[in-house]
Amino acid sequence: GENVEQHPSTLSVQEGDSAVIKCTYSDSASNYFPWYKQELGKGPQLIIDIRSNVGEKKDQRIAVTLNKTAKHFSLHITETQPEDSAVYFCAASINTGTASKLTFGTGTRLQVTL
Amino acid sequence: DAGVTQSPTHLIKTRGQQVTLRCSPKSGHDTVSWYQQALGQGPQFIFQYYEEEERQRGNFPDRFSGHQFPNYSSELNVNALLLGDSALYLCASRVVVGQETQYFGPGTRLLVL
């Protein structure tokens, strides 16, 4: 089955700096790659996603890149703010209509310091 | 527009007992998935329901079962609870046609003593 690896497990940046989180996946059939942010005591919140027919997507300070050949994708957060501090999860999925199982990475704890 | 809701928020059970968790999907969504998230780990897929049938299942034993109702809400049942079943149980919903995006609820935290 699909396996998703995520690095680093913890990341500390100063406010205003950029943060990059990287993930690799094993199943070349995966075609959908969301990123979720999870704050303490809450469920995961979708922050951005990318489909396999797109190489890059940006939404304000957040961007995701996908390299299908290398089977890896990355999350880029620019101009980090204290409220960006949370645990971030990447995930991969093979969407076939009714089937949409998400396989998650192990998470990255991002801390943005003042 | 109500998001995904789950009940209860917290639950304490003892080994061997049975538990039922409930989920109401986001308005307009017809597909519900359940995930188990152990402390410090990423969510693990349990199963997915669409049109009241289990469509996909992860690597979980038969002690984990579910149901989807005609109004698209869903239940997760766990029998013969083990200490290792202690986790945050998350429900996610989506629209099956044309949208891959899954929205998660706040979860139910289950503690098995």
Side-chain angles (χ1 to χ4, degrees):
Chain A
E2 175 70 281
N3 182 52
V4 177
E5 295 189 357
Q6 182 172 348
H7 300 282
S9 56
T10 60
L11 180 59
S12 182
V13 300
Q14 286 197 323
E15 184 181 7
D17 287 349
S18 295
V20 180
I21 302 171
K22 298 182 179 181
C23 289
T24 60
Y25 61 99
S26 61
D27 194 333
S28 56
S30 290
N31 57 8
Y32 175 65
F33 307 90
W35 286 87
Y36 287 88
K37 174 184 180 181
Q38 188 172 28
E39 297 176 281
L40 198 62
K42 297 185 178 180
Q45 177 189 5
L46 180 76
I47 55 172
I48 196 167
D49 57 9
I50 192 167
R51 290 159 182 80
S52 59
N53 59 348
V54 176
E56 184 174 356
K57 183 178 179 179
K58 188 174 181 180
D59 182 5
Q60 299 183 340
R61 297 185 298 110
I62 295 174
V64 58
T65 59
L66 171 65
N67 184 326
K68 286 192 297 182
T69 303
K71 289 190 282 188
H72 68 70
F73 56 114
S74 300
L75 177 71
H76 305 253
I77 306 175
T78 59
E79 301 172 18
T80 54
Q81 302 167 2
E83 51 265 39
D84 294 329
S85 296
V87 179
Y88 291 80
F89 290 98
C90 62
S93 174
I94 303 171
N95 275 287
T96 59
T98 55
S100 60
K101 164 190 171 181
L102 290 171
T103 300
F104 283 83
T106 50
T108 296
R109 182 172 299 278
L110 174 64
Q111 184 175 7
V112 180
T113 58
L114 298 173
Chain B
D1 178 21
V4 180
T5 59
Q6 293 185 242
S7 63
T9 55
H10 295 82
L11 205 51
I12 299 175
K13 292 286 188 178
T14 56
R15 281 181 300 172
Q17 285 190 311
Q18 179 264 344
V19 68
T20 297
L21 311 182
R22 296 175 176 82
C23 170
S24 290
K26 187 176 169 65
S27 177
H29 287 189
D30 54 13
T31 302
V32 172
S33 298
W34 287 91
Y35 292 81
Q36 180 195 66
Q37 186 177 25
L39 204 59
Q41 303 290 322
Q44 298 289 318
F45 176 77
I46 303 175
F47 43 52
Q48 178 186 75
Y49 278 84
Y50 169 65
E51 290 187 334
E52 302 178 49
E53 289 187 16
E54 184 183 291
R55 300 290 178 161
Q56 243 186 330
R57 189 178 181 94
N59 295 324
F60 280 81
D62 292 345
R63 298 187 299 109
F64 289 77
S65 63
H67 188 78
Q68 185 179 34
F69 298 94
N71 67 352
Y72 309 119
S73 67
S74 177
E75 288 182 349
L76 164 65
N77 301 292
V78 187
N79 294 322
L81 284 167
L82 303 174
L83 297 180
D85 294 333
S86 296
L88 180 68
Y89 288 85
L90 296 162
C91 171
S93 74
R94 65 181 279 244
V95 176
V96 74
V97 178
Q99 290 284 338
E100 301 100 330
T101 306
Q102 295 189 41
Y103 296 88
F104 282 82
T108 294
R109 184 158 297 282
L110 172 65
L111 178 61
V112 182
L113 301 176

